[in-house]
Amino acid sequence: MSRAFAALSSIRKTTMSNMDKYESFFRYTSGRWLYNEKEQLAIRYVRFNVDALKKVAAEAVGASYCTDIRKTHEAFNKIFMLRFDNNAELVAKIPTPLVSPPHLCTASEVATMDYVRNVMGLPVPKVFGWCSRAETTDVGAEYILMEKIDGVCLQDCWQAMNADEAKAAINDVVDAQCHFAHTRFSQIGSLFYKDDVDLSLRDRPLYANGTDGNSESPRFCIGPLMRWDLWCHDRHTLNVDHGPWPNLPSFLSALGRKQSEWLRLVAANRSQRCALRRAPRDESPDIHIRWIERFLTVLPHVVPPVELQVPVLWNDLEATSLVVQPKDHHPVKAILDWQYSHLSPLFLQVRLCEAFLFEGDERITLPQEFSMPRKPPNYDSLPDDERAYLDREYELAVRQRVYEGLLRERVPVTYTLLERPHQMQTHLGILELSRTWYNGLHQLRDYLIQLQLWWDDIAPSVPFPNPAGDEEIERHIVECSGFEIYSENVEQLRKELGVDVDGWVSNERFDEVMRRSEELKSAWNTKAMAGPWPFQDGRYSYYLDL
């Protein structure tokens, strides 16, 4: 039974008046788009049986009935807050059509949250109930029911924290990153309960050789790799290996085959409307396949040592996904957003927690040598209020150095990798393999040309495979220059309008921004701006398959 049919069957059990009452739950209501709005709304629309959701949620917390339900957030998922007659509260999460494939995504997310909470011992909301198969539940959609955590989002209180509170939050985050880096798994894939994967995968070891587990570990195993860009835009329909894989070479080989297969079978039928993919020589899927194969021949020479290839779990730990109670000794009370979390080689996973990185006044400088921040040379001559403002900015910059110091001490591999520029180039190139059709080939070309320039330092005794000639490099530089000019113009336009990459804007500002957009569009010169007006229906949008 299809997901849509399951939802329809469930919905028939609910009166039409009730469905109309909850229409705002199903629709995306948190903003508007300047272009492709019809498609953006459609891919975020999910219809389900609200009364059935309230019923299963009440049963999950031992309540008789739900007294209140309201939608609190929406993006990839619809997030609802539910309250009950016994004063219990729950958070319900229902995936939209953006989440693909919904069964595997939901099953893996629940297993990962359970593992991180009960094996790693990190603060993650408890799951009270879930269903990963829409056709098996009266709700008519996949869902997760989880604990409501009291606290505030780190993003909303970071600047108001004092130095001690901030350091305590940094300590909690570094502790989590330490767990991530030191728990080594046996395969590249994602965590699942054993019942949710193929029988052939259930008896494989969970951990890499020499890594111990605890009594909870036997409930888990490793299944297909859940990463959005590897399943989106009909990739879930491909008859290819989705994982898990025992090592980096098998993973990279499968990644290349999956993308090549998608280019051959799917991309060739896609419209040619990507704003960045303008070079005529890049319009053929065969060209993309050749460059992917070219990159894969270089990779064996640039990947890090085997000890940095071991699979680990990671979470981006964004400021919006950390729930904190600032006054507490351990302020981080919950790490959210485990959807699409996966086990991947350490050198591909490691990244800094951006919540602690200073992005304030550029007059506060951060020297490269990890020394303390510096105030501007004319600081002493500034007015009192200006110095007070810069003192606060300086304190925020110091927090980055505190974070970096703790991370270098407890997770030194982070900086081992970040201080190798060609390693980061390799990381970016691998991520780009599945994105060339929409992002354009120039980025992957650029990664390869940069590696070619560094090659004497990387592998001095090995000739660079399939080197780019002078003419090809010159043509690439010209094309990249055009792409960069256009990208900068689009970015400047976005900032002026105050919209995000896909033209999203808040409901309150939509009319005003749309009027201003039309004014700027009339003055836009395609030749001078190095490309077409970006905000028009049919143009490229990251999440849409146009």
Side-chain angles (χ1 to χ4, degrees):
M1 185 186 298
S2 71
R3 184 187 187 194
F5 185 76
L8 181 60
S9 298
S10 176
I11 288 164
R12 283 172 177 162
K13 301 175 184 177
T14 305
T15 65
M16 186 57 67
S17 60
N18 275 346
M19 295 307 294
D20 291 342
K21 179 173 68 174
Y22 293 124
E23 181 64 21
S24 64
F25 284 5
F26 312 145
R27 291 188 295 106
Y28 183 88
T29 58
S30 300
R32 301 283 304 272
W33 283 266
L34 297 186
Y35 70 113
N36 292 333
E37 184 171 50
K38 180 180 177 181
E39 292 80 6
Q40 295 281 13
L41 292 172
I43 204 167
R44 290 167 173 80
Y45 185 91
V46 56
R47 202 167 175 85
F48 59 96
N49 189 324
V50 179
D51 291 336
L53 177 67
K54 293 194 290 185
K55 183 175 184 294
V56 297
E59 292 170 353
V61 294
S64 299
Y65 56 90
C66 174
T67 59
D68 182 56
I69 179 172
R70 58 189 175 88
K71 183 170 64 174
T72 60
H73 301 85
E74 55 187 343
F76 264 58
N77 310 273
K78 307 283 186 181
I79 307 297
F80 299 93
M81 178 70 68
L82 291 86
R83 293 187 174 88
F84 305 91
D85 62 308
N86 61 355
N87 295 321
E89 294 180 310
L90 271 185
V91 174
K93 181 176 186 177
I94 291 183
T96 70
L98 274 168
V99 178
S100 176
H103 159 58
L104 290 177
C105 280
T106 304
S108 179
E109 181 178 4
V110 171
T112 301
M113 291 175 68
D114 185 354
Y115 179 90
V116 175
R117 177 185 172 90
N118 293 305
V119 179
M120 286 187 168
L122 296 176
V124 171
K126 179 181 178 180
V127 173
F128 284 91
W130 62 287
C131 180
S132 64
R133 297 188 184 276
E135 67 273 16
T136 66
T137 171
D138 287 342
V139 177
E142 302 80 9
Y143 65 84
I144 301 175
L145 304 174
M146 66 185 84
E147 173 186 14
K148 176 187 177 292
I149 304 295
D150 291 330
V152 295
C153 174
L154 180 65
Q155 184 181 51
D156 297 334
C157 65
W158 176 242
Q159 296 203 13
M161 284 180 166
N162 63 40
D164 290 337
E165 292 167 349
K167 186 172 182 180
I170 291 169
N171 265 312
D172 284 354
V173 167
V174 172
D175 182 59
Q177 291 182 306
C178 193
H179 277 82
F180 298 155
H182 294 153
T183 304
R184 311 297 178 88
F185 293 89
S186 64
Q187 301 161 85
I188 297 168
S190 288
L191 287 171
F192 287 87
Y193 295 125
K194 289 189 173 181
D195 289 345
D196 289 312
V197 301
D198 189 88
L199 281 169
S200 63
L201 302 176
R202 297 179 187 180
D203 293 330
R204 294 185 185 181
L206 182 64
Y207 298 110
N209 292 337
T211 304
D212 296 326
N214 66 11
S215 59
E216 296 285 339
S217 297
R219 297 188 293 117
F220 303 94
C221 65
I222 301 172
L225 175 64
M226 307 312 300
R227 208 177 79 186
W228 185 78
D229 62 317
L230 300 183
W231 294 90
C232 66
H233 302 161
D234 288 339
R235 285 176 175 82
H236 66 281
T237 65
L238 299 177
N239 184 24
V240 295
D241 184 3
H242 297 289
W245 301 280
N247 51 42
L248 181 64
S250 60
F251 163 60
L252 294 176
S253 176
L255 192 62
R257 285 198 303 272
K258 175 182 276 194
Q259 181 62 3
S260 296
E261 192 75 357
W262 183 84
L263 286 163
R264 290 190 187 98
L265 299 179
V266 182
N269 298 318
R270 292 300 192 263
S271 60
Q272 309 292 305
R273 291 182 285 191
C274 174
L276 296 180
R277 185 174 40 79
R278 299 193 323 280
R281 62 183 177 132
D282 293 349
E283 295 299 324
S284 166
D286 290 339
I287 298 295
H288 291 252
I289 293 170
R290 284 201 289 273
W291 274 93
I292 288 171
E293 291 172 346
R294 195 169 174 178
F295 185 69
L296 291 174
T297 63
V298 173
L299 279 179
H301 302 287
V302 296
V303 294
V306 173
E307 61 267 22
L308 299 180
Q309 298 178 22
V310 65
V312 298
L313 177 68
W314 210 268
N315 182 294
D316 286 345
L317 298 170
E318 296 179 352
T320 54
S321 65
L322 296 171
V323 178
V324 299
Q325 294 176 6
K327 302 298 181 184
D328 199 274
H329 181 63
H330 288 288
V332 176
K333 297 304 175 186
I335 303 171
L336 309 178
D337 295 342
W338 294 94
Q339 194 170 65
Y340 287 112
S341 293
H342 53 274
L343 315 175
S344 196
L346 181 62
F347 81 98
L348 293 178
Q349 294 277 61
V350 164
R351 48 198 172 273
L352 298 177
C353 176
E354 293 188 2
F356 302 145
L357 303 185
F358 178 67
E359 296 181 348
D361 197 300
E362 60 185 16
R363 290 175 293 175
I364 303 294
T365 57
L366 285 163
Q368 293 293 326
E369 305 79 23
F370 295 101
S371 54
M372 293 303 287
R374 296 171 184 164
K375 296 178 182 178
N378 66 337
Y379 170 81
D380 290 334
S381 64
L382 295 172
D384 290 348
D385 58 342
E386 188 71 7
R387 280 188 285 127
Y389 162 75
L390 286 174
D391 287 344
R392 185 58 180 161
E393 290 290 289
Y394 178 81
E395 182 186 333
L396 293 173
V398 168
R399 294 180 188 181
Q400 175 174 329
R401 287 298 189 238
V402 171
Y403 168 57
E404 291 169 339
L406 285 172
L407 203 59
R408 285 170 70 88
E409 176 186 331
R410 299 187 60 196
V411 197
V413 68
T414 302
Y415 283 92
T416 301
L417 290 167
L418 295 178
E419 289 170 355
R420 297 180 180 183
H422 75 270
Q423 208 66 77
M424 295 309 297
Q425 205 76 2
T426 302
H427 180 175
L428 294 171
I430 291 172
L431 293 178
E432 194 62 27
L433 288 181
S434 62
R435 304 171 182 173
T436 64
W437 189 249
Y438 292 106
N439 287 356
L441 261 175
H442 59 282
Q443 294 187 44
L444 187 60
R445 274 199 199 96
D446 197 59
Y447 300 149
L448 271 172
I449 289 172
Q450 290 295 329
L451 290 174
Q452 182 176 331
L453 295 175
W454 288 328
W455 197 249
D456 286 343
D457 295 326
I458 298 169
S461 60
V462 179
F464 185 81
N466 301 314
D470 292 343
E471 183 179 338
E472 186 171 23
I473 292 175
E474 289 175 7
R475 182 165 57 171
H476 167 74
I477 291 172
V478 171
E479 289 178 352
C480 266
S481 176
F483 294 144
E484 288 173 5
I485 291 170
Y486 179 65
S487 297
E488 288 171 2
N489 287 330
V490 173
E491 180 64 16
Q492 184 176 346
L493 175 65
R494 285 202 314 104
K495 287 181 178 179
E496 181 167 349
L497 291 173
V499 300
D500 78 354
V501 177
D502 276 353
W504 182 92
V505 62
S506 66
N507 291 316
E508 296 76 15
R509 296 183 60 242
F510 180 75
D511 290 338
E512 166 203 344
V513 172
M514 183 60 86
R515 282 194 297 271
R516 180 59 178 152
S517 175
E518 289 301 318
E519 292 172 1
L520 293 173
K521 181 180 178 181
S522 64
W524 183 274
N525 184 302
T526 298
K527 185 175 181 180
M529 295 297 177
W533 176 255
F535 303 143
Q536 53 185 305
D537 289 345
R539 301 303 301 181
Y540 167 73
S541 294
Y542 182 69
Y543 294 115
L544 297 182
D545 189 15
L546 296 176

